[in-house]
Amino acid sequence: MERYEQQFKKGVLELMILKLISVEKTYGYDLITKLKRNSNGLFCLKEGTLYPLLYRLEGDGLICSTEEVLAGSNKRKKKYYEITELGRETLDGLIDYWDSFSGHVNKILQLGD
Amino acid sequence: MKTEYYVGKVMKKIRLLPKRIRNRIKRDMENSITDRLENGETLQNIETEMGIPSQTALDILDGFRPEFKWRVSLLRYAYIFCALVPLLYILSVLVYVFTTPNPGGFISYTKFFAELFRELSAVAMRPTIIRLMVNFVLYLFICAFGYILYSQQLLLKRNYILAMFCLSLVIGITLHPSVYGVDTSHILYNTVGISIFGNSPVLWGLLQPQFFLAIYTAIACLLFYIRKSSQLTTFQNEFPE
């Protein structure tokens, strides 16, 4: 059962991360907490899973990163991610696809009820 | 657990990823831990939330797998097939040599080993059996290279692949009958009673399974090396520091 759940989660991770980044400029840890909070703990993403995913989205040109020096914290640099124009278009396309996808899946699941 | 300790442990496990990526992961991870600490989490809690270092490293490697995963399934099966042929061949020749009266002057392998350990000069006098044993050991090395190559391609450093290429090539040359490989022509000729090699034993030697496997492995190593080099270059260009 858990294996199938993991597969579901993996499949929608990019979409959700992209959506969260599209809402506002954000950083790694913030993404993890937002994801956890907004999913009532269903998506407990770990750093080890998040980084490769972020790098891949960046590599595909869907998001871009900027480093900002934080005031009052030993000049610590923090990496912020924001969505690109291409990312926004891709996100819209993915959301449309998700609507259609989930609709069809639900339709099949209701067969015989 | 200290931040440096955790990050250091993870970095050690992912040391075979490109340096630029590792540096970036290191910075991101340090930032994340600092964020968590600033958010009131304790170090112990952080390890629970982030996972133990080895698991984090595995997750990272798993996440990068699509970039490095090559379509090797078919090649892998082809390799297993090519590796089994010389095994059957070498084993059958070993059985033949050990059971056929007098192929190298011995009646049985029991006597062979008895004489081998009693008198060192027996080694020089019985080249076929010694050759077979050396061939078998070299064959095992080649199989080990093949296994490492096809199962650990993500973790392998390019230099290791290059070293395996060189060793496979050397072993391949050694396994040719003109050098130190089993002389198939004589054994088969004695067994079957016909010559299928014509007048070109050198060419026939190229088709011998254990030699073929070694050369196959060498070529595969070279292709993996070239591919990994180009892939890393592309990957690093995509993710500049």
Side-chain angles (χ1 to χ4, degrees), chain A residues 10 27 29 32 36 46-49 51-52 55-56 58-59 65 67 73 76-79 81, chain B residues 24-25 27-29 31-32 34-36 38-39 41 49-50 56 59-60 62-64 67 239:
Chain A
K10 265 190 179 178
Y27 53 94
Y29 174 63
I32 291 172
K36 191 176 177 181
K46 289 178 175 164
E47 275 80 349
T49 313
Y51 298 144
Y55 301 170
R56 200 159 40 246
E58 196 177 348
S65 64
E67 273 192 344
S73 57
R76 180 159 76 90
K77 282 182 185 173
K78 200 169 198 167
K79 189 163 276 180
Y81 294 93
Chain B
R24 190 170 165 175
I25 287 172
R27 277 204 310 270
D28 285 350
M29 204 175 291
N31 263 329
S32 199
T34 314
D35 287 336
R36 282 176 182 275
E38 286 175 355
N39 211 37
E41 290 188 30
E49 288 288 319
M50 289 177 71
T56 305
D59 288 342
I60 291 170
D62 202 41
F64 282 114
E67 278 77 18
F239 300 110

Side-chain angles (χ1 to χ4, degrees), chain B residues 176-196:
Chain B
H176 192 276
S178 308
V179 185
Y180 204 71
V182 177
D183 197 341
T184 327
S185 59
H186 285 130
I187 291 165
L188 279 187
Y189 183 79
N190 289 339
T191 315
V192 185
I194 52 167
S195 173
I196 52 173

Side-chain angles (χ1 to χ4, degrees), chain B residues 22-235:
Chain B
R22 273 185 289 135
N23 287 341
R24 190 170 165 175
I25 287 172
K26 186 170 183 273
R27 277 204 310 270
D28 285 350
M29 204 175 291
E30 282 168 352
N31 263 329
S32 199
I33 292 175
T34 314
D35 287 336
R36 282 176 182 275
L37 288 171
E38 286 175 355
N39 211 37
E41 290 188 30
T42 62
L43 284 168
Q44 282 73 22
N45 187 35
I46 287 172
E47 192 171 39
T48 315
E49 288 288 319
M50 289 177 71
I52 53 170
S54 57
Q55 186 55 50
T56 305
L58 272 179
D59 288 342
I60 291 170
L61 287 176
D62 202 41
F64 282 114
R65 205 172 288 276
E67 278 77 18
F68 292 95
K69 192 177 181 183
W70 306 324
R71 292 173 185 172
V72 292
S73 296
L74 192 63
L75 282 172
R76 190 180 288 152
Y77 289 122
Y79 190 88
I80 291 169
F81 175 76
C82 291
L84 282 177
V85 172
L87 178 67
L88 294 174
Y89 164 74
I90 289 177
L91 287 179
S92 59
V93 174
L94 267 173
V95 169
Y96 164 77
V97 171
F98 281 141
T99 53
T100 307
N102 222 28
F106 296 104
I107 294 168
S108 67
Y109 63 90
T110 318
K111 197 173 177 191
F112 166 74
F113 280 114
E115 291 203 15
L116 180 69
F117 292 111
R118 198 172 57 217
E119 195 181 336
L120 278 175
S121 61
V123 176
M125 291 163 66
R126 310 293 173 248
T128 309
I129 295 173
I130 303 301
R131 268 191 174 201
L132 272 170
M133 288 176 169
V134 173
N135 274 217
F136 189 60
V137 171
L138 292 178
Y139 160 80
L140 291 180
F141 270 107
I142 287 293
C143 286
F145 290 163
Y147 172 77
I148 294 167
L149 191 66
Y150 281 103
S151 63
Q152 308 290 323
Q153 71 267 30
L154 177 64
L155 300 172
L156 278 177
K157 268 187 175 177
R158 282 176 299 167
N159 288 345
Y160 293 166
I161 299 178
L162 196 60
M164 287 202 304
F165 161 72
C166 297
L167 285 171
S168 304
L169 201 62
V170 171
I171 290 176
I173 292 166
T174 311
L175 282 176
H176 192 276
S178 308
V179 185
Y180 204 71
V182 177
D183 197 341
T184 327
S185 59
H186 285 130
I187 291 165
L188 279 187
Y189 183 79
N190 289 339
T191 315
V192 185
I194 52 167
S195 173
I196 52 173
F197 320 117
N199 296 318
S200 55
V202 175
L203 278 180
W204 171 250
L206 295 174
L207 295 174
Q208 291 193 89
Q210 70 274 37
F211 170 79
F212 177 76
L213 184 71
I215 297 302
Y216 183 140
T217 310
I219 292 170
C221 286
L222 189 63
L223 292 177
F224 271 61
Y225 177 79
I226 293 168
R227 192 157 187 178
K228 191 152 191 162
S229 304
S230 63
Q231 214 154 17
L232 286 183
T233 313
T234 314
F235 200 57

